[in-house]
Amino acid sequence: MKVEFYGHVRQYHNIKSEIDKNIQTVLKSGQYVMGPMLKQFEAELAAYHRAKFAVGLGNGTDAIWLALMALGIGPGDEVITHPNTFFATAEAIWIAGATAVFVDCCPDSKCVCPEKIEGAITPKTKAIIPVHLYGQCADMVAIRKIADHHQLKLIEDNAQAIGAHGPKFKIGQLSDAATTSFIIQKNLGTFGDSGALVTNNADIDAKVRKLRNHGSNARNVHSFGFNSRLDDLHAGILSAKLKHIDEYNDARRKWAARYTKGLKGCKTIDLPVELKGYRHVFHLYVVEVKKPEWRDQLVDFLVKNGVDAKTHYSIAIHKQAGYPWGKQARIVGSVANAEANAACCVSLPMFPELKAEEVDYVVAKVKEWDKQFAAQAPVGKGPAQAGKCCCTCK
Ligand SMILES: Cc1ncc(COP(=O)(O)O)c(C=O)c1O
């Protein structure tokens, strides 16, 4: 059997008529950039988040640095995040000209550790960017308190968790802005690139709207800006898919539960942890091997057996060759949890259109691999989940 990592072609076939209808509407409208379909999708996206504003953008990276720019954050300012996220989180800080400050993640959630943030704040700190990694929210209540106490801006990098929430908060509710990516493989993904920013702040909305369009919101009238617009064809595809996002996330949760039930007895891996009261939307289902040398062995074994396994993200940002490329960066304290996450992560296929027999096949193959190494497995949690954490995720 072959089990793919992504299912967007299946998804297209399942709702083809809805997607095709919107594409036809755009094509026939003659308005392909900043047209009515973009307006409609922005209204739908804002409503989905129960937020006042949503701005469609070229991609999720631009959404982060445009948010920073709209907040006046740039050279000389420090922005705190964690190093076991997708590279773009830090890249956006650097594009804005600011200093990326890396602190550790929590060993359970893999999201930034609030208490480590507290320890990294200096007079230069201007913002925090928590990432809702793998589809589970960071502890926004704790992070909001820190931001309030130190008067910091808060941008949620929500590229991976649309539709997730915490026990007492929704995405976008506790921050200045939440940014997202709609690249193909995301929980809400189009057939190409695009992104968005969601906010309740009219000033951020107005500034980003101008910045994305050459500093213009009236014909021939410009200030300095860029070209980072979500075009109407992609807006149409996203509008069709947004109507299904909750059902897609429910399906991801169902497959995650099936993986977890099937893999529970494995001795060589730790399974993903859903924090109490959180809705994890499993952008990725990431197991962590209990010995780093097993990571690539497990991936190779699965790939050889037809299962397209991957790693997210096997090189932490500060371990990339050439880091920090002449940019400003600082690591505060130990980032051992983030490094162990990188060393041990293996992502299993995860998309709403998976079939039960595919999930069961993946489970069977992981168990087959586990059996070979079970006798060598350390007792208790492996390095990625055994790490210390001083905050609420434990
Ligand atoms: C956590 C995170 N942040 C930012 C991005 C950047 O989004 P994009 O690729 O649309 O620029 C991505 C995804 O690619 C991501 O996963």
Side-chain angles (χ1 to χ4, degrees), residues 266-335:
C266 287
K267 300 274 187 289
T268 58
I269 54 173
D270 288 318
L271 303 181
V273 176
E274 182 176 37
L275 301 180
K276 203 162 166 260
Y278 283 66
R279 176 175 161 86
H280 192 322
V281 294
F282 291 97
H283 170 58
L284 295 165
Y285 186 93
V286 179
V287 302
E288 291 171 307
V289 291
K290 290 190 185 174
K291 288 188 177 181
E293 63 267 30
W294 286 342
R295 183 194 66 196
D296 294 347
Q297 287 178 28
L298 175 56
V299 171
D300 288 349
F301 176 84
L302 292 173
V303 170
K304 278 195 190 104
N305 282 280
V307 175
D308 189 12
K310 297 188 186 298
T311 56
H312 296 81
Y313 299 96
S314 47
I315 309 174
I317 293 171
H318 63 290
K319 296 280 190 183
Q320 294 283 350
Y323 165 88
W325 309 278
K327 305 291 175 200
Q328 297 299 311
R330 206 156 65 79
I331 300 169
V332 180
S334 159
V335 287

Side-chain angles (χ1 to χ4, degrees), residues 59-62 64 85-86 88-89 131 133 157 159-160 181-183 185-186 193-195 283 313:
N59 56 69
T61 312
D62 287 4
I64 301 169
T85 170
F86 180 59
T89 313
V131 184
L133 201 72
D157 180 344
Q160 302 192 358
S181 163
F182 300 126
I183 193 167
Q185 66 268 26
K186 297 302 190 214
D193 275 312
S194 59
H283 170 58
Y313 299 96

Side-chain angles (χ1 to χ4, degrees), residues 233-259:
L233 277 174
H234 285 121
I237 294 162
L238 290 164
S239 171
K241 289 193 177 193
L242 182 62
K243 295 179 180 60
H244 297 276
I245 189 66
D246 290 340
E247 118 210 7
Y248 290 160
N249 283 339
D250 286 345
R252 286 175 182 270
R253 289 177 56 76
K254 181 180 81 179
W255 298 132
R258 198 172 179 104
Y259 273 138

